[in-house]
Amino acid sequence: MNRLILSIALIALVCTPGTALLPALAADDSARHKSWESTNTEAKQAFEEGKYSESEALYRTALDQAENLESSGPKAISSHGLARVYHKQGRYKEAEPLYKTALAIFDGSSRRRIFYLYSVIEDYADMLAAMGRSQEAQELRGRLKRSAPTTIR
């Protein structure tokens, strides 16, 4: 019974606007986001320097960190980064589900993330072509052309 009362009280506290707990939760998410951002930046830099093993480990860490964030954007960004590492190494079977994850997240996102979506589509289509799946690559690129704003065409 005491657990039930405690649970109800905690829910009421979290759901009540203006409580001291909400800013603390927001600050915690902000700190986790900064940690993810730092790890993801290191992973991207390692990738650009051709340090694929290091980049892979960092992207895996960033992906784990992204799982604990409220926003799905970091998960999509880290999934895309790790997919690029696998793609570059010819590890297509490992890259494909990550591209699909990033694509699904960015596909349903706001216009401000549209350039991320285009980047994922291009990279995924390149990988499909490298795998000999040219028809799928063309279909994916066709989708890109149909949905592109006139400023990118």
Side-chain angles (χ1 to χ4, degrees):
M1 184 67 155
N2 286 341
R3 276 184 145 171
L4 178 61
I5 293 170
L6 183 60
S7 295
I8 293 170
L10 182 58
I11 291 169
L13 180 62
V14 170
C15 295
T16 305
T19 63
L21 184 58
L22 294 179
L25 292 174
D28 185 46
D29 192 61
S30 177
R32 286 191 312 248
H33 189 275
K34 285 180 183 177
S35 179
W36 164 81
E37 191 171 39
S38 174
T39 304
N40 200 73
T41 299
E42 287 180 49
K44 184 177 179 184
Q45 183 176 348
F47 177 82
E48 290 169 356
E49 293 172 1
K51 300 175 183 174
Y52 302 125
S53 294
E54 181 181 338
S55 181
E56 177 183 352
L58 288 164
Y59 272 126
R60 283 180 176 276
T61 300
L63 200 50
D64 287 343
Q65 291 170 332
E67 293 290 341
N68 296 316
L69 298 174
E70 287 184 31
S71 170
S72 60
K75 179 179 179 181
I77 291 168
S78 293
S79 293
H80 180 215
L82 186 55
R84 291 178 65 216
V85 171
Y86 291 152
H87 176 177
K88 191 74 168 177
Q89 295 175 321
R91 295 164 61 186
Y92 303 136
K93 288 185 181 190
E94 293 169 273
E96 189 164 16
L98 292 163
Y99 277 131
K100 287 180 177 182
T101 296
L103 189 58
I105 293 170
F106 285 138
D107 211 9
S109 67
S110 66
R111 300 264 316 146
R112 66 188 169 102
R113 291 189 179 162
I114 197 102
F115 291 105
Y116 284 120
L117 174 63
Y118 294 148
S119 179
V120 172
I121 289 174
E122 272 300 317
D123 291 340
Y124 186 21
D126 287 346
M127 188 192 76
L128 290 171
M131 294 171 68
R133 293 164 55 186
S134 300
Q135 182 63 34
E136 289 175 76
Q138 283 180 326
E139 289 170 10
L140 200 54
R141 285 195 175 106
R143 179 178 154 203
L144 177 67
K145 288 176 185 174
R146 287 188 302 276
S147 64
T150 54
T151 56
I152 326 183
R153 286 189 187 165

